[in-house]
Amino acid sequence: MRMGVSVLFALRLMGIGSRLSLSNARKSLIGAVAGIGISLVPLIAVLVVADGMIEGISGRIIELSSGHLRVADYSGLSDASGDAGALESLRAELPRYSASIADAAAERQGLGIAIGPKGRSGSTIRAVSDAFFSRSFGSDGFLRMVAGTGGAPEQGEAVIGEKLAETVGLAPGDRIRLLTIHRSPSGKETPKFASRTVRSVVSSGYQELDALWVFVPFASDSSILDPDTAHSFISVYTDDPYGDLSGVRDELLGSLPDGFDCYTWKELNRSQLQSFNTTRILLLFIMFLILCIASVNVSSALVMTVMERRKEIAILKSIGAHPSDIAFAFVLAGFFTGLGGVVAGLPLGILCALNINEIFSFLEQVLNGISGFAYALGSSSSSAPPAAVKLLDPAYYIQGIPVRLDAAELYLVAAGTLLLSSLVSIFPALRAGSEKPLDTLRKV
Amino acid sequence: MSDIVLELQDVSKTYPSEAEVLRILNGASLALSRGEKIAITGESGCGKSTLLNIIGGLDTPDAGTIQAGSFSVHALSERDLARYRSSYLGLVFQFHYLLKDFSALENVMLPAFMAGVSRKEALERAKELLADVGLEHRLHHFPSQLSGGERQRAAVARALVNRPALMLADEPTGNLDPANALMIQDVLFSAADRHNASLIIVTHDPAMASRADHLYRLQEGRLVRS
């Protein structure tokens, strides 16, 4: 029952179960609870939003760009690598090599310039199989049609990204001109123009991708791109892209023609994934520092509590409490303070994260309102109105911030907070445990 | 098993002050049998409370030994001191020293918890003791809701909850009116009789001192039996 004494004393230090009296130390402990709670809100929000954004961007990249696995012959040893027909035949064969393969799409991808009535823009021209569109426009796909006719482009047609369409001034039905470079057998490079009708304008929700892509049909238009300056590959899709893909890769490697290799999406996007993770870790580290500062409040509140409760500590010792019982009570008080912060901060953080789009929108409205008001008060007739404030420029981020709640991460945050609160309580706890009862009782 | 509950041999204690070293205890010795009740009197500042604090393990002697049952109090570690205070000793001070955030019942139960008594047993003992001191209707009251006499009675109940072999009371009625003082005397002496506990009372009250089996006077740092 000795632990019961520590638990009971810790609860009473927090004011739980005793008559309500708000001493300075108790106010400090309540402040420390609030500090922990408030510091958890941005931590949870950043964690949830960062995870959602990384998963959202990664999802778009692997579904729309790299595929779950990529089969390619970058060595040039195989004849099939530059031959569209041979590549298409290999694509049709792939599902037989592994039961985990759900679909595959052949692609030739190269750089070019897209030209429209408003101007020109560097673009990535992608000659892709119909399978790519049936996946990407499906219910789980990441392509959304903004304007035009749905489905894959037919011969003489192109599907272009929304941002690109806006930049060069194209709409469905317009003609887009594509400039690519072709290399002759002698090594001389010449420009080649091709003109296609815009079938539809699409968006991946990620403007960085939408600003580049021009899709044309693989079967008829892969010749727009010179096999020597473009690269050809097959994007392979599985049922579980986030699972372990090494088994599928090994099965494919065992069956592919000479020269072909197989890469998982993690290998293909390693630098980008590392960049995302580094950013995420840095953000979390900054938030963790805020939490550490809040935890220091716990420590200082407990030091104040020790000073205020010296008499009670002395009494407990005089009636038989061991120093470790007293110290443990103060560590528990720190733990309970952290627990209070977690109980308050975790739901609030989740709530903020779930409504992050609305919060940003509201903040943008407030900032624009203030900016507009300031302009109206102090503007001269010649000065231009201020540009609208965008907290997250959609040119660089997904247009709607996705939110992903990971229970394991939330448990980890809660456990880490409780551990931190307990650790910072050790110093005041040791101080409480080492109090000499007689010194205090003499002064009472 | 020895019948001696407490044995002091040549206990000395000095306090340095600016002008001189104050020799408070100077070879104080005492042997106390089980169930024996003694009163210690003396002038204010003669060292009565210091002696009690040393016996209670709250202070340390400069020299001499204190043997309480199996506990060599003068040489105990913090852990054993805690065990000594919770299992062997019952302390009653002039001021009640109840914990303000705990009810009367919880205050009495706490030392039992510290001694490893089960919650059920601690609850039974605490209720019984509080009834003995006339506080059965005040179990869930906090110290601030009790009168001065009630607080001191609760403090006596707390000192008795672990059925100590030795009870130390340092002017337990010093802050009380005569009626409450008498009640505390009755409670202390009857509880000591009921549990066959030895009792050392430091007091200025002749009436209380006269109820003890023996009366000692602390003179020039030594205990002199009157």
Side-chain angles (χ1 to χ4, degrees), chain B residues 18-207:
Chain B
E18 284 180 11
E20 56 180 334
V21 173
L22 294 173
R23 187 166 289 278
I24 303 295
L25 298 176
N26 187 18
S29 297
L30 173 73
L32 194 67
S33 308
R34 175 163 285 279
E36 187 180 356
K37 294 173 276 295
I38 67 165
I40 299 174
T41 60
E43 293 167 6
S44 292
C46 71
K48 304 184 295 293
S49 294
T50 300
L51 179 66
L52 235 52
N53 287 336
I54 287 173
I55 296 170
L58 297 170
D59 205 349
T60 50
D62 295 338
T65 60
I66 304 114
Q67 191 67 35
S70 61
F71 296 99
S72 300
V73 182
H74 56 281
L76 288 179
S77 65
E78 282 278 2
R79 176 178 296 276
D80 289 334
L81 265 178
R83 202 159 57 85
Y84 165 61
R85 287 184 199 130
S86 65
S87 64
Y88 196 82
L89 207 62
L91 276 169
V92 182
F93 300 93
Q94 184 175 357
F95 190 71
H96 59 81
Y97 289 148
L98 293 175
L99 294 166
K100 63 180 180 181
D101 288 323
F102 292 76
S103 67
L105 186 66
E106 288 169 335
N107 264 289
V108 178
M109 286 168 73
L110 276 175
F113 288 157
M114 288 169 195
V117 176
S118 72
R119 184 181 159 77
K120 188 181 171 205
E121 171 75 13
L123 188 66
E124 280 174 13
R125 285 190 200 178
K127 280 185 174 174
E128 188 184 321
L129 283 165
L130 283 167
D132 286 349
V133 296
L135 290 176
E136 65 273 21
H137 59 298
R138 300 280 204 192
L139 297 181
H140 301 291
H141 284 63
F142 288 88
S144 59
Q145 297 170 306
L146 300 174
S147 69
E150 287 172 331
R151 289 174 199 166
Q152 194 64 328
R153 279 186 271 157
V156 171
R158 182 179 66 186
L160 290 165
V161 73
N162 285 334
R163 294 161 186 166
L166 175 62
M167 287 180 63
L168 306 177
D170 188 0
E171 299 193 37
T173 58
N175 284 337
L176 300 178
D177 61 82
N180 269 307
L182 189 62
M183 186 180 279
I184 293 296
Q185 282 178 37
D186 289 342
V187 167
L188 272 173
F189 280 94
S190 62
D193 282 339
R194 200 162 50 248
H195 298 297
N196 196 24
S198 302
L199 175 65
I200 301 177
I201 297 179
V202 164
T203 184
H204 286 292
D205 180 0

Side-chain angles (χ1 to χ4, degrees), chain A residues 148-161:
Chain A
T149 311
E154 292 173 1
Q155 189 172 359
E157 289 182 334
V159 169
I160 63 173

Side-chain angles (χ1 to χ4, degrees), chain A residues 154-191:
Chain A
E154 292 173 1
Q155 189 172 359
E157 289 182 334
V159 169
I160 63 173
E162 184 181 19
K163 186 68 183 171
L164 178 67
E166 186 188 318
T167 307
V168 300
L170 288 168
D174 293 344
R175 298 288 285 176
I176 181 172
R177 294 180 73 205
L178 300 170
L179 171 63
T180 53
I181 298 295
H182 281 247
R183 192 178 292 149
S184 69
S186 63
K188 187 180 175 186
E189 289 182 342
T190 52

Side-chain angles (χ1 to χ4, degrees), chain A residues 151-231:
Chain A
E154 292 173 1
Q155 189 172 359
E157 289 182 334
V159 169
I160 63 173
E162 184 181 19
K163 186 68 183 171
L164 178 67
E166 186 188 318
T167 307
V168 300
L170 288 168
D174 293 344
R175 298 288 285 176
I176 181 172
R177 294 180 73 205
L178 300 170
L179 171 63
T180 53
I181 298 295
H182 281 247
R183 192 178 292 149
S184 69
S186 63
K188 187 180 175 186
E189 289 182 342
T190 52
K192 183 177 178 183
F193 283 95
S195 183
R196 298 289 182 270
T197 302
V198 176
R199 177 185 174 90
S200 58
V201 175
V202 295
S203 172
S204 66
Y206 186 28
Q207 284 199 13
E208 217 166 329
L209 302 179
D210 293 346
L212 294 173
W213 287 345
V214 176
F215 298 100
V216 292
F218 180 80
S220 59
D221 277 355
S222 57
S223 58
I224 288 179
L225 297 161
D226 183 353
D228 289 340
T229 56
H231 58 282

